[in-house]
Amino acid sequence: MYIYPNVIARLPVILAVVVLGACATTSTKRVQVDPALAAREAEVQKEMYVKTQLRDQKRVQAIAYPMLVNGAPICDKRTRPGSGFVFGNKHTWPKDFQDAAVSAFGVGEELQVLSVTPESPASRAGLKEGDLLLQFGDKVLPQGQKADSKSLNILQEKMKVGEPLAITANRDGETTQLSLTPDLVCDTLVVYTAGDEVNAYADGNAIYITSGMLRFVESDNELATVIGHEIAHNAMGHRDKKMTNFLLGSILDVAAAAYGVNTQSAFGNMAASAFSKDFEAEADYVGLYVMRRGGYSTLESPDFWRRMGVASPGSVSTKYSGTHPGTADRYIALDQVNIELSAKESQGQQLLPDPKK
Ligand SMILES: [Zn+2]
């Protein structure tokens, strides 16, 4: 028989691999590990994880806030009152990470301020991380499980743009009264999500920035480029809010914001249902306006998208750039927008995107 010469020629090689595989074993000693020490080390690593998540979440929100406030005229009717702080208690974290959160942040059953965005209403009101929250206005806040989402609802009901809201807090054992006056901001929640993909999404209600994206960006201006682009998708109503409202309960609460919850499974579908190239081009155009209004330089933005285009094809080209305009088009268009923005600035014109002719 002379039918499969290739297979027959390779047989000895295949057998050799199988045999080697079967005998493979280590030849040096295995270092003995004390299980108690390993358990302690696992807790240390979890604590590092929750701290890193909160730190990264804070960075994303700090970069986003000036764009949400100053971009409000572009968001037009898609605006709401904004406060600029995140709170939670130990139940805000999943069970596995509660002990870590308790030792990292000292959280318990009461609601505690976890982060305060710089130059936001919360920071102007004098709220500080670690403050225990007792009341929003006349409403006494709950404790324990679900206290975070219930209190977020109370806060959203009480906040009116430009109207002071009394916040009663406990700081170092003493009751303190603070007054928070909400800003008018673009109606977009900013969520930092766990995930290695270099990715970002907008769903009409919120924008999601992955930890992979945070590792990819090389500066605040680059991160602002991504966030500005995603805010622009929501500002221009590219995705119908109603379509994604089903996610509100599980994802858009303070828990997600504080923990950087893994939303990858929920958003796999969203990434697949890409925006049209027209919407992408509009998000690029409007996104640079949102950035400039937020006080960021947009000069690095064309190079950022160029870098996205040439970076790791596996994670970037299929999942992200694949849904976005060709990088050559995009680079040239963004350069033109920068010229337009500089011209408007030097003529003292308002930074608002030009309508379709
Ligand atoms: Zn986009």
Side-chain angles (χ1 to χ4, degrees):
M1 298 273 283
Y2 193 67
I3 304 175
Y4 305 113
N6 287 337
V7 172
I8 291 162
R10 280 187 196 146
L11 261 181
V13 177
I14 292 166
L15 284 175
V17 169
V18 169
V19 169
L20 280 176
C23 311
T25 181
T26 55
S27 50
T28 58
K29 76 164 189 180
R30 170 88 187 255
V31 177
Q32 293 303 306
V33 173
D34 177 345
L37 286 178
R40 176 68 203 125
E41 174 59 20
E43 282 308 309
V44 168
Q45 290 184 18
K46 277 184 187 174
E47 203 178 313
M48 287 167 73
Y49 176 75
V50 295
K51 280 184 179 166
T52 309
Q53 290 291 99
L54 190 59
R55 181 201 66 197
D56 291 348
Q57 169 75 25
K58 275 188 206 172
R59 180 178 176 212
V60 169
Q61 293 196 320
I63 299 280
Y65 198 77
M67 291 188 275
L68 294 174
V69 177
N70 298 304
I74 293 177
C75 293
D76 193 22
K77 291 194 173 57
R78 295 181 182 92
T79 49
R80 63 174 167 86
S83 63
F85 71 114
V86 170
F87 54 86
N89 61 13
K90 71 180 235 190
H91 302 285
T92 298
W93 281 266
K95 276 223 153 42
D96 257 14
F97 288 89
Q98 283 179 8
D99 289 346
V102 169
S103 57
F105 311 117
V107 283
E109 298 296 328
E110 290 170 290
L111 289 172
Q112 183 176 314
V113 176
L114 298 170
S115 76
V116 177
T117 303
E119 292 174 51
S120 69
S123 92
R124 288 194 292 271
L127 266 180
K128 293 210 169 9
E129 285 169 21
D131 284 352
L132 298 176
L133 295 167
L134 307 176
Q135 274 181 238
F136 291 150
D138 55 0
K139 198 94 176 162
V140 175
L141 301 180
Q143 300 186 8
Q145 289 190 17
K146 298 216 165 75
D148 50 10
S149 49
K150 284 182 197 158
S151 302
L152 187 65
N153 287 338
I154 295 169
L155 181 63
Q156 281 168 343
E157 274 166 30
K158 295 267 178 199
M159 283 201 299
K160 305 263 184 310
V161 173
E163 289 182 26
L165 169 68
I167 294 184
T168 312
N170 184 322
R171 182 178 299 163
D172 305 324
E174 283 186 33
T175 304
T176 318
Q177 283 278 357
L178 301 161
S179 174
L180 183 150
T181 306
D183 283 336
L184 181 73
V185 299
C186 288
D187 187 9
T188 284
L189 283 159
V190 178
V191 181
Y192 169 65
T193 92
D196 288 331
E197 284 175 26
V198 179
N199 218 336
Y201 318 101
D203 72 358
N205 294 298
I207 66 170
Y208 306 84
I209 309 293
T210 64
S211 39
M213 177 59 84
L214 221 59
R215 284 193 289 272
F216 181 78
V217 295
E218 289 178 353
S219 65
D220 284 356
N221 282 335
E222 287 196 354
L223 181 54
T225 301
V226 177
I227 295 174
H229 174 97
E230 301 304 332
I231 290 174
H233 274 306
N234 286 351
M236 305 316 288
H238 290 172
R239 197 162 326 251
D240 186 356
K241 285 185 162 217
K242 286 186 208 99
M243 284 172 62
T244 52
N245 266 349
F246 70 95
L247 292 165
L248 271 170
S250 58
I251 290 169
L252 299 188
D253 57 15
V254 279
Y259 173 61
V261 73
N262 189 337
T263 51
Q264 291 306 296
S265 55
F267 290 96
N269 294 337
M270 194 162 295
S273 65
F275 288 120
S276 72
K277 301 245 170 194
D278 284 347
F279 280 175
E280 288 305 338
E282 181 168 57
D284 275 355
Y285 177 57
V286 175
L288 286 207
Y289 274 84
V290 170
M291 276 182 81
R292 277 279 183 118
R293 295 187 65 99
Y296 294 100
S297 166
T298 56
L299 300 181
E300 295 163 41
S301 301
D303 272 325
F304 169 74
W305 291 117
R306 177 188 257 173
R307 220 159 61 70
M308 283 287 287
V310 298
S312 102
S315 63
V316 177
S317 64
T318 57
K319 291 288 207 291
Y320 195 87
S321 295
T323 71
H324 285 70
T327 48
D329 283 12
R330 165 172 246 172
Y331 184 85
I332 303 298
L334 287 174
D335 257 356
Q336 284 175 29
V337 182
N338 271 334
I339 293 166
E340 180 177 308
L341 282 162
S342 299
K344 284 187 184 177
E345 262 174 0
S346 65
Q347 289 159 20
Q349 285 182 37
Q350 277 231 34
L351 294 186
L352 291 171
D354 292 340
K356 223 182 209 167
K357 286 216 177 88

